[in-house]
Amino acid sequence: MESDDAGLRHSDADTPERVRRQLSRLVGMTAGQLRKAAGAALAEVGAHKDHFVVLASLAEFGPASQSRLSDRTRVYRSDLVAVLNDLEAAGHIQRAPDPEDKRRNVITVTAKGRCRLGELDEVLAGVNEHVMAPLDPAERDTLFALLARVNAHLADG
């Protein structure tokens, strides 16, 4: 079952075959359901996806300016300030003036932030497990590989 624009539930049998066979529709519906599941799971622990991507970026690539962090995470600069405020208030990151340019801040993940990232990893692993439940391990690997290839192809233009 899926919802239409009016919120009514209907089966795929009510959808024309040529519409059902549109890859963009299927991938879009799947992505929407995945975003909803991940968003709900993160909200249960007082987080959202931008918290996760910022902490993951800092943990993997090290300290960064706000501008660089925005580029890495694809979080809009205007939205990033609020995310950083949340993370700093919780003690997950530290902002300090850049020693090379006092006009900008360098963002660093704290030990508490690394711990929080581990918690968020577990939450999202649970979401992934739920979403991928119908697939065996080999199918999961194949799905990731195929999606990565398609994404790389589209990114190349």
Side-chain angles (χ1 to χ4, degrees):
M1 291 281 200
E2 64 184 89
S3 294
D4 64 14
D5 291 337
L8 301 173
R9 306 280 289 170
H10 59 84
S11 72
D12 236 10
D14 296 331
T15 304
E17 174 67 21
R18 64 175 34 126
V19 174
R20 286 195 312 254
R21 293 184 49 78
Q22 293 303 309
L23 180 61
S24 62
R25 176 180 179 270
L26 181 59
V27 171
M29 288 170 39
T30 304
Q33 292 180 58
L34 182 52
R35 271 191 300 278
K36 183 178 176 182
L42 289 169
E44 286 180 16
V45 296
H48 58 78
K49 74 170 182 68
D50 291 344
H51 292 159
F52 174 74
V53 297
V54 166
L55 290 173
S57 178
L58 292 170
E60 186 166 332
F61 299 117
S65 69
Q66 287 181 207
S67 176
R68 183 69 179 125
L69 194 54
S70 176
D71 292 342
R72 281 184 185 159
T73 61
R74 297 187 178 127
V75 175
Y76 292 114
R77 287 180 167 99
S78 58
D79 296 334
L80 183 61
V81 173
V83 172
L84 296 177
N85 287 344
D86 289 348
L87 293 172
E88 186 174 44
H92 299 148
I93 62 155
Q94 181 178 19
R95 286 190 261 207
D98 185 336
E100 296 176 15
D101 184 350
K102 300 290 184 198
R103 296 172 294 173
R104 67 180 181 191
N105 286 321
V106 172
I107 316 303
T108 306
V109 67
T110 63
K112 187 174 180 181
R114 288 182 187 280
C115 182
R116 178 64 164 169
L117 179 58
E119 293 168 358
L120 299 181
D121 279 334
E122 289 180 25
V123 167
L124 292 174
V127 171
N128 289 344
E129 184 58 37
H130 170 72
V131 169
M132 303 291 269
L135 305 178
D136 66 36
E139 290 171 321
R140 294 174 188 200
D141 290 344
T142 299
L143 178 61
F144 270 92
L146 292 173
L147 288 173
R149 280 178 42 203
V150 169
N151 277 300
H153 166 72
L154 294 174
D156 288 343

